[in-house]
Amino acid sequence: MSERSRDWTTWILLLLGAGAIVNGLLMMVTSEAWFEAIAAYTGPYNVHLVQDVGAAYVTAGAAAFWAGRRPEWRTPLATSAALFIGIHGLIHVVEVLRGLHPASHLIEDFPGVYLPALLLGWIAFRSRPAARAQE
């Protein structure tokens, strides 16, 4: 990975990590308000579930943030963050394909669900030792 792309990658990881941490903390601390604002269309409110998912967001965000601070650990940390964020995104896609939500959800969810997953996946893939050796 070139020095210039490493700089952009670092900033992307730090921003995605901080965003996921803040989202997760909001889910854990203001669960009901977060649910009403973001996910009320998914079914009845379940405080335990919202807080569990919030904990997963904090964990993925910490991994992404740490990957931004420690390039030598970038591959496993970015991959860990990409796994949760990516699987979460796939669940959204499957729900649309099953007809549980309108196709417009794919566009509505893009900035907060799919784009972070794509960026983390791309960074994890590009940070592999084999990819770095080719540059």
Side-chain angles (χ1 to χ4, degrees), residues 96 101-111 114:
V96 169
H101 307 296
S104 63
H105 273 255
L106 295 172
I107 295 167
E108 293 167 14
D109 289 345
F110 185 80
Y114 309 121

Side-chain angles (χ1 to χ4, degrees), residues 53-73:
V53 175
Y57 262 101
V58 170
T59 303
F65 196 87
W66 190 7
R69 301 289 298 151
R70 299 296 299 263
E72 67 274 18
W73 285 92

Side-chain angles (χ1 to χ4, degrees), residues 42-122:
T42 63
Y45 172 66
N46 179 325
V47 66
H48 183 93
L49 181 61
V50 173
Q51 290 177 346
D52 279 353
V53 175
Y57 262 101
V58 170
T59 303
F65 196 87
W66 190 7
R69 301 289 298 151
R70 299 296 299 263
E72 67 274 18
W73 285 92
R74 186 158 288 168
T75 301
L77 290 167
T79 300
S80 296
L83 279 171
F84 168 70
I85 303 295
I87 292 169
H88 173 246
L90 285 175
I91 291 168
H92 280 237
V93 171
V94 168
E95 287 180 346
V96 169
L97 293 175
R98 290 179 58 209
L100 299 175
H101 307 296
S104 63
H105 273 255
L106 295 172
I107 295 167
E108 293 167 14
D109 289 345
F110 185 80
V113 177
Y114 309 121
L115 183 59
L118 292 169
L119 289 170
L120 286 167
W122 174 77

